Every structure is written in C-alpha cells, then in structure tokens.
C-alpha cells in the first residue's frame, strides 16, 4: 500500500521505534531525502547521508595504501576503522566520532539509492544493516539506519518500472520494513506555499498551476513510454521554481524560446510545454513600465507570442499611471498595437471601445496632440476593417 508523505513520515518513525530498519521506496525526485531530513529534524537527530550508488567496492572494508598509524581511527567503545579521507568510510568515521562526543543524541544514517549500488557494494553494507558491524567496528546504539530505493520491476505494483537497479539480497528484504511513498500533491502544496525568509518556498506560478493540475506533480514513466524521456517530479518542480525566479532577476521573460526550453528541460516536453504556455500567458514578458517606457520595448514586443502581446496591451489599458492621452504614451501604445496581428489589434480596439470615457478623452485632445490623433485614427481604421471583414 502506497503512503502519502505525512503517513510515510509517521510509519518510518514507528519502524525506528520498533528497532527495525525502514526502506522507503519511491520514484526519483518524489521526496525521500526530504522526508528523512524532516524526520531527523523532528527527532532532533544528527543526520548523515551516504549515496550508495556512488560508493565503490572497498570503500568501507579495504584500506587504501600506503597507510600509517594516523590512517586508523581508534574508538573508545566501538572498535577501529581505516579513515580513507576520500572514501565513504570517512562518513562512518565522522559518525562514530560524533556518537562518542554526543552519546545521548540520536543519529540517523541515511543510505540513499541503496538498490542502485552494485551487488558488491550492497554486500559490503549488508553487515551494517543486518549485524550493525563491519570488520571490528560496531555501530553505536543511538545510530538508526534508513534505506531508500527506487522502484524495482520485481516489486509488487512496479512491474513497469524502468530504473537501472540491482535487486537487493533477500536477506535485506526480510530484515527491513518496506514503505512505499507516493506523490502527495496537497501535502506538497502546503509545504510549497509556506513562507521562508519573507517569500513562498516555491514560486506562486508553480503552485497555482499544480492546484489546477495536481496530477502533474509526479508523472511516472514506464518502460513502454517513449513519447517523453523526462517527466515532472517534486524535485523537478523545485528546480523550475528557482529558474522562474532567475528569469525574473535577469529580465528574460520576453525570451519565449528560453522560457519554454527551461520548462521542457525540467518537466519533459508534454508538461513543460503546457506549463510554459500557462506562465507566459500570466507573465507576458514586459511590465507596463517597460512596454511604455523602455527604448527597446517594441523590438522585444515583436518577439512575443500574440497572447503575450495582447496581455501586455490590456495591462497598459488598465494602468492609470500611463494615460493614453499623453503624447509619448499614445505614440508607444500605437507602435505596440501596430506590431500585433489583426486579431489582437481588433481585441484591443474592442476593449478600448468598451471604455467610452477613455475614447472621449482621446477625441478631446487629439487636435492638440498629433500622437494621440494618430492612435485615435489607428483605432478607427482597425474597427472599420473588422466591420468590413464581418460583412
């Protein structure tokens, strides 16, 4: 049975309290590491992490010569181990030293991507998981192990899994408790909208989209799915959030191709294209101040999609700080309107026609302001052309 994030968090705590070892199984990027970090924080435990897929055979049991007496770490109660500075035994040494310095504090050792390590590496780690011992070294009693694995096609419910994993030894499966974590959109959205350092943890464009399309938080790939080699995950949406904020910081919202490519590169073509289309509609690429005041605004405007152009002009009409009765504003608005396709021009002209007060103001000052007169005539021609097409 698959568990939501919160339920899996509670179940993992129960497994640890019972003295067993939990194995959290879930798709890549679903939040297994975040769950373990949250658990450690809740329990005020010190967290150490080893990514097993990056461990080489011998990192834990074979010292690397040449060795001196300084290469071995002697512990007061837990035995000795070779401290290979750039091997993963160094993490184990740091953990033992921490345990000796803090004998009353709980420690969690998180073995991530356990079934993506080689069979030889898994065998080396087996004594730690099963016997809590390797060579002469014994794990301190306050150390709790938590494993994480990607789905394996041999696991029930994951027959279509396509991960390159090494199925674990039956002894590991028999001695650990498997907990299956599933994507949990409501819980993730609650986490994502929480305020950190004065702003939401995840960009509101992401959370608004996922509130409308909750199934897109996590799309599971299968061995038979060949139409899209990337799929969205909670981790991918976090990257997207950072990218959105960087697009804003660098003023690149007008670069439609760049925005779309970034979304597709994180979420896959299908979801990435849909999301890019939605955010480009909401974030048209130019603010009103940029559209009506920046020297290069017309050139940028011409690179945008018709939907973006129309949104920008609608925003301009709604902003009272930039009245069209001003000559410079009228001239810029006229240039932007001319860059729109005919359908977009008619939509904006129709929007203006609905604002009778504004049209009256334009008519009243056009004799003394040529730029305003040009805009008024342009709107008249657009309306006339549209009427002729309808006839």
């Amino acid at each position: 049975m698959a568990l939501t994030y919160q339920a899996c968090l509670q179940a993992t705590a129960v497994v640890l309290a019972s003295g067993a070892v939990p194995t959290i199984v879930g798709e890549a990027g679903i939040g297994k590491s975040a769950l373990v970090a949250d658990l450690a924080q809740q329990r005020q435990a010190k967290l150490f992490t080893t990514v097993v897929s990056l461990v080489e055979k011998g990192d834990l049991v074979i010292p690397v010569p040449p060795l001196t007496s300084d290469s071995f770490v002697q512990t007061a109660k837990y035995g000795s181990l070779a401290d290979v500075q750039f091997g993963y035994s160094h993490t184990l040494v740091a953990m033992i030293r921490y345990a000796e310095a803090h004998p009353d504090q709980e420690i969690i050792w998180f073995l991530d991507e356990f079934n993506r390590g080689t069979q030889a590496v898994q065998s080396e780690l087996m004594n730690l998981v099963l016997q809590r011992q390797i060579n002469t070294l014994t794990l301190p009693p306050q150390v709790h192990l938590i494993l994480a694995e990607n789905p394996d096609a041999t696991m029930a419910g994951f027959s279509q899994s396509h991960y390159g994993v090494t199925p674990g030894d039956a002894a590991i499966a028999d001695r650990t408790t498997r907990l299956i974590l599933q994507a949990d959109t409501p819980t993730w959205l609650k986490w994502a909208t929480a305020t950190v350092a004065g702003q939401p943890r995840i960009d509101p464009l992401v959370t608004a989209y996922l509130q409308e399309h909750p199934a897109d938080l996590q799309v599971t790939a299968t061995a038979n799915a060949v139409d899209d080699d990337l799929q969205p995950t909670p981790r991918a949406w976090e990257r997207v959030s950072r990218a959105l904020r960087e697009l804003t910081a660098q003023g690149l919202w007008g670069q439609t191709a760049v925005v779309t490519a970034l979304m597709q590169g994180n979420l896959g073509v299908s979801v990435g294209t849909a999301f890019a289309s939605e955010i480009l509609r909401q974030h048209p690429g130019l603010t009103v101040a940029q559209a009506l005041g920046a020297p290069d605004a017309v050139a940028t405007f011409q690179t945008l999609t018709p939907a973006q152009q129309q949104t920008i002009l609608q925003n301009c009409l709604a902003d009272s700080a930039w009245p069209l009765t001003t000559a410079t504003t009228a001239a810029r608005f006229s240039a932007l309107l001319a860059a729109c396709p005919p359908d977009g021009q008619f939509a904006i002209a129709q929007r203006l026609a609905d604002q009778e007060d504004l049209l009256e103001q334009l008519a009243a000052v056009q004799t003394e302001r040529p730029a305003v007169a040009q805009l008024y005539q342009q709107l008249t021609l657009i309306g006339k052309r549209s009427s002729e097409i309808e006839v």
Side-chain angles (χ1 to χ4, degrees), residues 337 345-346 349 352 359 362-363 366 372-388:
L337 185 60
Q345 292 180 1
F346 176 71
L352 266 167
L359 284 178
L362 293 176
Q366 63 174 321
V372 176
Q374 179 182 347
L375 174 59
Y376 191 84
Q377 293 169 7
Q378 183 182 13
L379 293 169
T380 302
L381 288 173
I382 292 171
K384 181 179 178 180
R385 184 170 62 244
S386 299
S387 298
E388 291 173 349

Side-chain angles (χ1 to χ4, degrees), residues 185-207:
T185 305
T187 299
W188 191 86
L189 285 173
K190 183 178 180 180
W191 168 85
T193 54
T195 300
V196 177
Q199 67 175 355
R201 186 177 275 118
I202 299 296
D203 192 279
L205 287 173
V206 170
T207 53

Side-chain angles (χ1 to χ4, degrees), residues 31-89:
K32 299 184 294 294
S33 298
L35 187 148
V36 174
D38 282 350
L39 182 67
Q41 184 177 31
Q42 288 181 11
R43 299 167 70 95
Q44 297 184 328
K46 177 68 173 178
L47 176 62
F48 291 86
T49 299
T50 294
V51 182
V52 177
S53 61
L54 301 179
V55 176
E56 297 291 339
K57 176 176 169 54
D59 275 351
L60 290 169
V61 296
I62 303 176
V64 177
L67 295 174
T68 66
S69 58
D70 293 333
S71 301
F72 292 89
V73 174
Q74 304 292 334
T75 69
K77 295 187 292 184
Y78 306 116
S80 62
L81 184 73
D83 182 5
V84 182
Q85 183 71 32
F86 299 106
Y88 278 87
S89 65

Side-chain angles (χ1 to χ4, degrees), residues 292-368:
L292 297 178
D296 59 347
V298 176
T300 301
F301 186 85
Q302 291 172 334
T303 67
L304 303 178
T305 65
Q308 289 176 288
Q309 292 175 342
Q310 189 169 325
T311 300
I312 291 170
L313 292 179
Q314 289 173 351
N315 292 342
C316 291
L317 291 178
D319 194 333
S320 59
W322 296 82
L324 293 183
T325 52
T326 303
T328 54
T329 301
R332 173 57 61 82
F333 190 89
S334 179
L336 296 174
L337 185 60
C340 285
D343 288 348
Q345 292 180 1
F346 176 71
I348 296 303
Q350 187 63 49
R351 179 66 67 92
L352 266 167
D354 293 336
Q355 301 181 33
E356 295 181 3
D357 291 346
L358 179 55
L359 284 178
E360 291 176 359
Q361 292 172 17
L362 293 176
V365 300
Q366 63 174 321
T367 55
E368 57 190 62

Side-chain angles (χ1 to χ4, degrees), residues 73-225:
V73 174
Q74 304 292 334
T75 69
K77 295 187 292 184
Y78 306 116
S80 62
L81 184 73
D83 182 5
V84 182
Q85 183 71 32
F86 299 106
Y88 278 87
S89 65
H90 191 66
T91 299
L92 186 54
V93 167
M95 185 166 56
I96 297 297
R97 284 176 168 164
Y98 189 90
E100 289 191 320
H102 306 84
D104 297 324
Q105 184 176 4
E106 181 181 5
I107 296 173
I108 292 177
W109 190 12
F110 179 41
L111 301 178
D112 197 9
E113 298 187 354
F114 191 86
N115 64 341
R116 299 192 72 179
T118 65
Q119 192 66 61
V121 168
Q122 290 187 41
S123 296
E124 285 184 3
L125 290 168
M126 191 176 299
N127 282 334
L128 283 172
V129 176
L130 303 183
Q131 306 296 332
R132 299 181 61 84
Q133 182 175 352
I134 189 166
N135 287 345
T136 65
L137 188 78
T138 301
L139 286 181
Q142 74 260 45
V143 174
H144 295 291
L145 289 162
I146 299 179
L147 280 56
E149 296 184 342
N150 291 129
D152 174 359
T154 65
M155 296 177 183
F158 293 105
S159 59
Q160 298 298 312
S161 176
H162 70 298
Y163 291 99
V165 301
T166 303
D169 189 281
I172 290 284
D174 184 55
R175 300 288 185 87
T176 64
T177 302
R178 180 186 296 168
L179 302 173
I180 298 175
L181 177 63
Q182 67 179 3
D184 177 16
T185 305
T187 299
W188 191 86
L189 285 173
K190 183 178 180 180
W191 168 85
T193 54
T195 300
V196 177
Q199 67 175 355
R201 186 177 275 118
I202 299 296
D203 192 279
L205 287 173
V206 170
T207 53
Y209 177 85
L210 290 174
Q211 285 169 349
E212 294 293 325
H213 307 86
D216 285 349
L217 175 65
Q218 172 89 33
V219 177
T220 303
T222 66
N224 297 325

